[in-house]
Amino acid sequence: MADKCDLCLLGLIILSSLLTGISGVEDHVFISSGENARLSCNNALPDCKSKTTWIYSNSFRDSETVELVYQGIKKKDTERHERLSLESDCSLNIKNVTEEDYGSYICQQYVNGQKQGPDARVSLHVLHVSSSSSSSSSSSSSSSQTEFSPGRSVTLSCQLYSDTGFSCDDRVSSEGVELLWVNQAGVDLKTDSRYQILSSSSDQYRCIITLTTTLLNEDNNREWRCRLTHRNQFKTSVRYTVKYSGISGVEDHVFISSGENVRLSCNNALPDCKSKTTWTYSNSFRHSWRVELITGGIKKKDTERHERLSLESDCSLNIKNVIEEDYGSYICRQYVNGQKQGPDARVFLHVLHVSPSSSSSSSSSSSSSSQTEISPGRSVTLSCQLYSDYGFSCDYWVRSEGLELLWVNQAGVDLKTDSRYQILSSSSDQYHCIITLTTTLLNEDNNREWRCRLTHRNQLKTSVRYTVKYSVSSLRVKNPTKASTNHHNAPVASTTLTPVRSSNSEKTSSRTTAAASTQGS
């Protein structure tokens, strides 16, 4: 009797394998609209191209299956024909995926008209974002930028299109599917009271998460992301960028760290704008008048930053090697025959800068491009300051605009949690936000990195990295353990604080790190 039961169980296992394909596993591919997808044919035979058929079905759109590829040849009468291609291993490529592409794709192998082996099934899940605004009745695809204006309410709807036969509730509770709206730094926007986040489902089967907010002036070029995870594993995401048109005279805010290059957009630029463009600069803390930097597309040679300025073909203003004195208000204007055209395009440049001081150094501070000689056992203070000329106090920025300065370690952990460091927030003349880090250097601080990080409404804007570098020539102790036990005879190491600027671009950070290391060695 037991032998018969074992045989029955074996039969059920074999039958299950035949019904569900190789190893009984159905493949799932998660993709965002606008991207390219590759669907693997896991049952492909050798020299499979002439033997392969791909068919498509979607229970929500039609009841019949559609042949996409027959014996290696694309069917020309399908709506997605131009976007399909077959690879040498008989995988199916779909270019520029749309939300209508979601569904079930089946790869079958035929030899002399006879189907070979089980089907290889791939379920394609498509993540898509559409927008609606109180100022716009139309929605746009996830690959576009939407023209909005400040003061209007906008709703972004992120939807996961799937055809698995399970409800959204089942997939969330049983499969661990989760949709989140996050900012560029990956912070869940549910933690920010500015945003209304609502999860729901369409016809019970499609998961939806919406983001609703009222747009602010500083939201120009702001990016939000809808992120999809499955069993806590990241699958795909859709990025959405708000773009304000220049005709509304919108203020732009650019945050940069000293030593970086910056590009200030001229949002009111006319066609063939170069000869029509004038850029002016003002800073209420430095002088009361406005300085012309560029007139009629030509740089003014009598300005202190002349060598570091350039004008792009779209009349954006480039500033190389930004210094803290560059902060302020930049205005782009267009002139035709001496007459100003349209409103001003104003850009506020905010500069993050770090300067060190040490009890062993005679100078009280140094710029972020210099090096400060100190030694272990001495106290060092790093002062990180945000230079702004926006007419609001630091307290206003922190309380109303959600601005925050933090000192963090390489892992991004707030150093306030470490009793070794004294962190103090303050303001200079009420308008410039400052955060200082004070600590006593240890021998093991060689190559240690601290970062001053600036966030605005939980969104990373820029950061400055500062690295302690011990001089190899003066540190002749080969065994650090023995040196610490015989510290009376050990030579005192000189120390260099090496500044490294970084923005929220990882690629840029890598380059500036390499440059700073070369400079400091």
Side-chain angles (χ1 to χ4, degrees):
M1 185 70 173
D3 291 341
K4 289 183 178 180
C5 290
D6 290 341
L7 288 173
C8 291
L9 180 59
L10 179 61
L12 288 172
I13 294 173
I14 294 173
L15 179 60
S16 175
S17 298
L18 290 174
L19 290 174
T20 57
I22 297 176
S23 302
V25 176
E26 180 177 332
D27 197 8
H28 292 265
V29 174
F30 297 86
I31 199 79
S32 60
S33 56
E35 294 188 346
N36 301 330
R38 179 180 179 275
L39 311 182
S40 297
C41 182
N42 291 326
N43 62 354
L45 299 173
D47 303 322
C48 63
K49 268 209 164 182
S50 62
K51 308 166 187 174
T52 296
T53 292
W54 275 97
I55 59 177
Y56 165 78
S57 67
N58 186 315
S59 59
F60 290 98
R61 300 183 63 199
D62 45 59
S63 57
E64 297 181 358
T65 59
V66 179
E67 272 193 350
L68 304 175
V69 175
Y70 178 69
Q71 294 185 359
I73 300 174
K74 291 192 297 180
K75 305 285 283 188
K76 294 185 178 180
D77 56 351
T78 62
E79 57 183 346
R80 54 177 68 85
H81 163 259
E82 295 296 334
R83 296 187 290 115
L84 300 180
S85 62
L86 198 65
E87 291 202 358
S88 58
D89 64 353
C90 293
S91 297
L92 182 67
N93 288 332
I94 309 176
K95 291 183 179 179
N96 192 24
V97 168
T98 68
E99 62 269 32
E100 287 82 10
D101 290 329
Y102 81 98
S104 178
Y105 293 76
I106 296 176
C107 183
Q108 297 174 337
Q109 302 289 290
Y110 286 87
V111 175
N112 298 325
Q114 298 295 315
K115 190 163 81 73
Q116 308 295 307
D119 294 343
R121 184 184 299 269
V122 183
S123 289
L124 181 63
H125 310 265
V126 180
L127 191 66
H128 177 78
V129 167
S130 59
S131 65
S132 62
S133 170
S134 58
S135 64
S136 173
S137 58
S138 63
S139 64
S140 69
S141 70
S142 60
S143 60
S144 67
Q145 293 179 337
T146 303
E147 297 290 340
F148 290 121
S149 59
R152 298 287 187 171
S153 175
V154 62
T155 296
L156 302 181
S157 177
C158 179
Q159 182 165 338
L160 179 63
Y161 290 81
S162 296
D163 183 26
T164 60
F166 295 100
S167 70
C168 178
D169 289 340
D170 287 340
R171 299 180 68 196
V172 171
S173 60
S174 302
E175 294 297 314
V177 169
E178 186 179 23
L179 292 177
L180 287 175
W181 277 107
V182 300
N183 61 19
Q184 284 176 291
V187 177
D188 188 349
L189 292 178
K190 283 183 179 178
T191 62
D192 191 332
S193 60
R194 180 192 164 190
Y195 303 97
Q196 300 175 40
I197 309 295
L198 178 65
S199 297
S200 61
S201 61
S202 170
D203 55 42
Q204 296 184 348
Y205 289 95
R206 296 173 194 151
C207 298
I208 301 175
I209 186 169
T210 58
L211 177 155
T212 302
T213 190
T214 300
L215 292 172
L216 307 176
N217 284 337
E218 56 268 27
D219 283 331
N220 189 29
N221 293 319
R222 176 154 295 178
E223 178 184 288
W224 297 300
R225 300 178 187 178
C226 180
R227 188 170 65 185
L228 168 66
T229 59
H230 185 215
R231 300 187 188 278
N232 294 322
Q233 183 180 9
F234 174 76
K235 290 298 181 181
T236 190
S237 66
V238 181
R239 296 184 295 177
Y240 217 86
T241 304
V242 176
K243 190 73 174 176
Y244 290 161
S245 63
I247 58 173
S248 60
V250 174
E251 295 175 351
D252 197 8
H253 291 263
V254 175
F255 296 85
I256 198 73
S257 59
S258 57
E260 296 278 353
N261 301 330
V262 70
R263 177 179 178 272
L264 309 182
S265 297
C266 181
N267 290 325
N268 63 353
L270 298 174
D272 302 322
C273 62
K274 269 207 164 182
S275 62
K276 309 165 186 174
T277 296
T278 292
W279 275 97
T280 61
Y281 165 78
S282 68
N283 186 313
S284 59
F285 292 96
R286 299 185 63 201
H287 42 68
S288 58
W289 63 91
R290 183 163 290 277
V291 179
E292 274 196 352
L293 304 176
I294 291 177
T295 302
I298 300 173
K299 290 192 296 180
K300 305 286 282 187
K301 293 185 179 181
D302 56 351
T303 63
E304 57 185 344
R305 54 175 68 84
H306 163 260
E307 296 296 333
R308 296 186 290 115
L309 299 180
S310 63
L311 196 65
E312 292 203 358
S313 58
D314 64 353
C315 293
S316 298
L317 180 67
N318 288 332
I319 308 176
K320 291 183 179 179
N321 192 24
V322 169
I323 61 177
E324 61 268 34
E325 287 82 7
D326 289 331
Y327 81 98
S329 171
Y330 293 77
I331 293 180
C332 182
R333 290 172 174 161
Q334 302 290 287
Y335 288 88
V336 176
N337 298 324
Q339 298 296 315
K340 190 166 81 74
Q341 307 294 307
D344 294 343
R346 184 188 298 268
V347 184
F348 286 95
L349 182 62
H350 310 267
V351 179
L352 189 67
H353 176 78
V354 168
S355 58
S357 62
S358 169
S359 59
S360 66
S361 175
S362 58
S363 61
S364 59
S365 66
S366 72
S367 70
S368 62
S369 62
S370 67
Q371 297 176 345
T372 302
E373 292 295 334
I374 50 180
S375 58
R378 298 286 187 169
S379 176
V380 63
T381 296
L382 301 180
S383 177
C384 178
Q385 181 165 341
L386 178 65
Y387 290 82
S388 297
D389 182 25
Y390 192 46
F392 294 103
S393 68
C394 178
D395 289 341
Y396 171 84
W397 275 100
V398 172
R399 184 178 62 256
S400 302
E401 295 297 316
L403 184 141
E404 186 177 23
L405 289 176
L406 288 175
W407 278 106
V408 300
N409 61 18
Q410 284 174 291
V413 177
D414 189 349
L415 292 178
K416 283 182 179 177
T417 61
D418 191 332
S419 59
R420 179 192 164 188
Y421 303 97
Q422 299 175 41
I423 309 295
L424 178 63
S425 297
S426 61
S427 60
S428 171
D429 55 42
Q430 297 184 350
Y431 288 96
H432 302 317
C433 297
I434 301 174
I435 186 169
T436 58
L437 176 154
T438 302
T439 190
T440 299
L441 285 172
L442 307 176
N443 285 331
E444 57 266 29
D445 282 330
N446 188 28
N447 292 319
R448 182 159 309 224
E449 177 185 288
W450 298 300
R451 301 180 187 180
C452 179
R453 189 170 66 183
L454 169 66
T455 60
H456 186 210
R457 298 189 185 280
N458 294 321
Q459 183 180 10
L460 176 67
K461 288 300 183 180
T462 190
S463 65
V464 181
R465 296 186 293 174
Y466 229 88
T467 304
V468 176
K469 194 76 174 176
Y470 287 173
S471 172
V472 177
S473 61
S474 61
L475 186 60
R476 297 187 177 89
V477 180
K478 295 183 178 180
N479 189 326
T481 305
K482 290 182 179 179
S484 61
T485 56
N486 191 20
H487 59 276
H488 294 291
N489 297 324
V492 177
S494 68
T495 308
T496 302
L497 284 179
T498 304
V500 182
R501 280 80 55 186
S502 73
S503 66
N504 46 0
S505 166
E506 199 62 38
K507 190 173 182 180
T508 302
S509 298
S510 299
R511 288 200 302 268
T512 53
T513 301
S517 298
T518 304
Q519 186 181 7
S521 60

